[in-house]
Amino acid sequence: MSTPTPLTITTADEQHRPQLEQLWTMFRHEMSAFTGTLPDEHGRFRQERLDAGLSEPGWSAHIFHLGPRPVGFAVLRGLDKGEHVISSFFIAHGARRAHIGRAAVSELTAAHPGRWTVAYQDRNEVAAKFWRTVATELDPACTFEHRAVPGQPELPSDSWTRFGVR
C-alpha cells in the first residue's frame, strides 16, 4: 500500500505564473457555469485577482501541490487589514474529496490568525457545502449572509461566510 503524497502549499511568485494561469483558467471555466462569464476575444478569462495576488501589497497567491503536480491555488487579500478575504480558491477535480481543500484553508488561515471571509454562489452546491463545513469546523460561531455582487446586478447574490481563526 502506498502512502498518499503530502500536500505542499507554496507562496507563489512570478515563477509560478504559468502553473497558476493554467489552474486559473480551469477555475474560471468552472465558475462560468454559475456566472455566465465568457472568455475574451483571445479565449482568456479576466485574471485581475490572480495578478494582484502576485504583485499587490496585502495580497498573496498560493499554489497547492501533491508531489510535483499542481492541484489548486488560493488568492488571499486584506492580509494587511482587520478582516482577511479568501478571494479565489480552487482544487482540481481529481484532487477533490481527499480533504486537500480543508487542509489548505486550515494552513493558510492559521498563518494569518484573525477574522476571515469568503464569498461563493449558493448555486455552486459543492462550493457552498464546502465553505459551510470548513467555516463551521474552524469557528462554530461563524456567520452567513447574502450580498449583491458589486456592479453585476444580473447575477444572484453572493453568499458570504465569516469565521475567526486563532
Side-chain angles (χ1 to χ4, degrees):
M1 177 180 236
S2 66
T3 304
T5 304
L7 172 69
T8 58
I9 300 175
T10 304
T11 300
D13 58 27
E14 282 299 322
Q15 77 176 359
H16 300 101
R17 184 177 284 279
Q19 290 178 329
L20 284 168
E21 286 184 347
Q22 288 290 102
L23 292 166
W24 184 265
T25 298
M26 291 188 283
F27 165 66
R28 294 304 303 170
H29 174 261
E30 186 169 308
M31 292 304 300
S32 72
F34 307 103
T35 65
T37 303
L38 296 173
D40 66 16
E41 63 276 3
H42 305 290
R44 297 187 58 144
F45 288 98
R46 293 176 53 191
Q47 65 179 51
E48 293 90 354
R49 284 181 282 159
L50 176 60
D51 295 339
L54 291 170
S55 63
E56 294 295 321
W59 289 70
S60 65
H62 305 268
I63 190 163
F64 313 150
H65 284 90
L66 290 178
R69 298 169 191 253
V71 297
F73 71 88
V75 176
L76 311 178
R77 65 180 164 89
L79 298 176
D80 54 353
K81 304 216 181 320
E83 184 171 72
H84 315 308
V85 179
I86 299 171
S87 182
S88 303
F89 187 87
F90 177 74
I91 303 291
H93 282 271
R96 293 181 185 174
R97 306 208 51 84
H99 300 288
I100 291 166
R102 287 179 184 181
V105 171
S106 293
E107 186 172 325
L108 290 169
T109 58
H112 302 279
R115 300 296 305 160
W116 282 90
T117 188
V118 62
Y120 52 89
Q121 290 284 317
D122 284 330
R123 293 184 339 196
N124 184 345
E125 293 175 7
V126 172
K129 181 178 179 184
F130 172 80
W131 288 113
R132 283 188 221 111
T133 300
V134 170
T136 302
E137 287 175 358
L138 291 171
D139 178 5
C142 63
T143 62
F144 305 93
E145 67 177 300
H146 288 92
R147 283 194 234 155
V149 178
Q152 297 186 341
E154 72 280 4
L155 292 180
S157 293
D158 281 334
S159 290
W160 284 83
T161 297
R162 283 192 160 86
F163 58 95
V165 177
R166 296 178 203 234

